Amino acid sequence: QKEVEQDPGPLSVPEGAIVSLNCTYSNSAFQYFMWYRQYSRKGPELLMYTYSSGNKEDGRFTAQVDKSSKYISLFIRDSQPSDSATYLCAMSRGGSYIPTFGRGTSLIVHP
Amino acid sequence: DVKVTQSSRYLVKRTGEKVFLECVQDMDHENMFWYRQDPGLGLRLIYFSYDVKMKEKGDIPEGYSVSREKKERFSLILESASTNQTSMYLCASSFGGARGTDTQYFGPGTRLTVL
């Protein structure tokens, strides 16, 4: 079993839909949780960062962490074609230098 | 804003050539990383460095070496390029030390093709 599991998709939704992207993990020591967005042929860019459990909102994006279930989510409201990208989750124990990344979920938002 | 730059966006080399990929960050980060990214395999760590002149092997170091002579610069070297090293190469950096939240900031990537 991989430490971080992420469905590769692609996930195809119509413009305006609410998108839910998810990762599960097995290491209960993870405390820091990140979401990256990667456009085609570009490097990943940090989208959201949360510590421990709970929700964090930034504009149309909400990151949610459920440590009891070892499950994290990224919600995108009012999705736009410009949100079409691959979304990678990442998590770490803190105090270590190297996050563990999911393989990414490809999202396609069609007009 | 953190800025990580990579020397080339696209590179085409021949089998057996020595290849240098350079990465520079401007945020005084202590940690720097080299990954390769292939379809279906995700990000795989090649090497990382947590200080000048220090380096540690990642998950797939074979066929690669690195150099960190200055804090802001981390180079990846392919001693003798092979076709199976055709990939997207990504450099990243993070604060490290007591401030370490492990959040990594990535460069734009270098798409390397070895013929």
Side-chain angles (χ1 to χ4, degrees), chain A residues 32-44:
Chain A
Y32 298 91
F33 303 91
M34 293 148 277
W35 285 96
Y36 289 82
R37 178 175 60 196
Q38 185 176 20
Y39 291 115
S40 181
R41 297 187 179 84
K42 299 281 177 69

Side-chain angles (χ1 to χ4, degrees), chain B:
Chain B
D1 261 4
V2 176
K3 190 140 188 208
V4 181
T5 56
Q6 295 183 228
S7 49
S8 306
R9 290 299 311 278
Y10 300 94
L11 212 51
V12 179
K13 295 291 181 181
R14 298 225 173 259
T15 301
E17 279 192 80
K18 191 167 186 175
V19 182
F20 293 88
L21 303 181
E22 296 225 310
C23 174
V24 177
Q25 51 92 5
D26 67 357
M27 278 300 292
D28 201 34
H29 284 175
E30 294 179 17
N31 303 329
M32 297 188 74
F33 308 81
W34 275 106
Y35 293 88
R36 63 178 283 178
Q37 186 178 37
D38 300 287
L41 297 178
L43 287 168
R44 291 184 291 169
L45 182 65
I46 305 171
Y47 267 97
F48 65 101
S49 168
Y50 52 88
D51 201 353
V52 176
K53 297 194 186 294
M54 305 298 286
K55 61 184 179 185
E56 295 283 345
K57 292 180 180 178
D59 300 319
I60 52 162
E62 296 79 19
Y64 303 94
S65 61
V66 290
S67 172
R68 193 165 180 201
E69 296 295 320
K70 293 186 177 181
K71 190 174 185 179
E72 68 271 17
R73 191 179 296 268
F74 193 33
S75 300
L76 179 70
I77 302 145
L78 286 66
E79 296 290 342
S80 177
S82 63
T83 55
N84 63 12
Q85 292 178 310
T86 292
S87 186
M88 171 73 130
Y89 288 87
L90 290 161
C91 175
S93 70
S94 66
F95 283 112
R99 297 180 295 169
T101 61
D102 312 338
T103 304
Q104 294 190 348
Y105 298 87
F106 285 85
T110 295
R111 177 69 196 172
L112 172 67
T113 302
V114 182
L115 302 175

Side-chain angles (χ1 to χ4, degrees), chain A residues 1-19:
Chain A
Q1 182 191 10
K2 294 185 182 58
E3 256 192 320
V4 178
E5 299 274 5
Q6 187 175 12
D7 187 329
L11 176 62
S12 183
V13 301
E15 184 175 354
I18 296 174
V19 175

